[in-house]
């Protein structure tokens, strides 16, 4: 199993550009989520999904869109990048929601918005 | 407002000692509490999970306690080693909802 994979590893964007961060898992997990991690602030939940076709907002959803058309994939879209979105982004998956099971994290995508 | 506070940004201890990390929370009623390890440039890795009706959980040199009255979890690493140096994150989940993380404590174990 590859676990949770994320691409790209690193990206530089200009303000106003759009891009999609890719996330895939091969563990057949129903629950997937996106976090951003900033110094001193820990991981903050952006969006999550409890299954294909179902998504919901987390703590900091503004400026981001998600969709879940398959169990395996959960892409995160930045519609119009802003410098405040400079961060490290982690995708995670779990067999179920609610914290009763381990979350498996990807290696992260480091994003710099100029 | 809801808060998750981990006792300090950084903790330095000598090899062989016990490291104790604290996670305090306010305005949460977590059904589950988890601890993760994060190395620089990598994603968090799950260590332990404890449920609200459990007082203590152990795994090898790791021990977690969960006091829902004090709203606090303690994470212990006994006989610490330099390889234990990392950032440790606590995470709370209400059960059926999303998970929230603390900012983490960076542990350095000196030889």
């Amino acid at each position: 199993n590859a676990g949770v994979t994320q691409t790209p590893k690193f990206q530089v964007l200009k303000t106003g550009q759009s891009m999609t961060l890719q996330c895939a898992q091969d563990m057949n997990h129903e629950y997937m989520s996106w976090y951003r991690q900033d110094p001193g602030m820990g991981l903050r939940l952006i969006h999550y999904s409890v299954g294909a076709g179902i998504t919901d907002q987390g703590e900091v959803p503004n400026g981001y869109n998600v969709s879940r058309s398959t169990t395996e994939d959960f892409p995160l879209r930045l519609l119009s990048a802003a410098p405040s979105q400079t961060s490290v982004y982690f995708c995670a998956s779990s067999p179920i929601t609610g914290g009763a099971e381990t979350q498996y994290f990807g290696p992260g995508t480091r994003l710099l918005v100029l | 407002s809801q808060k998750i506070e981990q006792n300090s940004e950084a903790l330095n201890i000598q090899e062989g000692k016990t490291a104790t990390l604290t996670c305090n929370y306010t305005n949460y009623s977590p059904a589950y509490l988890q601890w993760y390890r994060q190395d620089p440039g990598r994603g968090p890795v799950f260590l332990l999970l404890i449920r609200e009706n459990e007082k203590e959980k152990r795994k090898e040199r790791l021990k977690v306690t969960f006091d829902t009255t004090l709203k606090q979890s303690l994470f212990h690493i006994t006989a610490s080693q330099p390889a234990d140096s990392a950032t440790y994150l606590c995470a709370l989940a209400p059960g059926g909802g999303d998970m929230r993380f603390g900012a983490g404590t960076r542990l350095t174990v000196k030889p």
Side-chain angles (χ1 to χ4, degrees), chain A residues 61-91:
Chain A
N62 292 344
Y64 307 95
N65 269 2
V66 292
S67 59
R68 184 101 178 265
S69 55
T70 67
T71 298
E72 294 77 21
D73 300 298
F74 190 42
L76 178 74
R77 295 184 194 83
L78 278 70
L79 307 172
S80 176
S84 61
Q85 293 178 305
T86 293
S87 189
V88 181
Y89 291 84
F90 289 101
C91 179

Side-chain angles (χ1 to χ4, degrees), chain B residues 78-100:
Chain B
T78 58
S80 59
Q81 304 164 1
D84 295 326
S85 298
T87 296
Y88 292 86
L89 309 171
C90 74
L92 276 61
D98 54 60
M99 187 173 285
R100 300 295 171 98

Side-chain angles (χ1 to χ4, degrees), chain A residues 31 35 37 40-45 48 57-59 90 97-108 110, chain B residues 9 31-32 34 36 38 41-46 49 51 89 93-104:
Chain A
Y31 183 79
Y35 293 88
Q37 187 172 39
M41 299 193 73
L43 288 158
R44 290 185 292 167
L45 184 66
Y48 64 97
Q57 296 181 351
E59 194 181 352
F90 289 101
T97 185
E101 287 280 351
T102 306
Q103 283 210 85
Y104 296 85
F105 283 84
R110 190 173 295 273
Chain B
E9 271 196 32
Y32 307 97
Q34 299 186 8
Y36 287 79
Q38 187 174 23
R42 297 185 164 242
V45 174
F46 172 80
L49 178 152
R51 293 171 172 77
L89 309 171
D98 54 60
M99 187 173 285
R100 300 295 171 98
F101 283 80

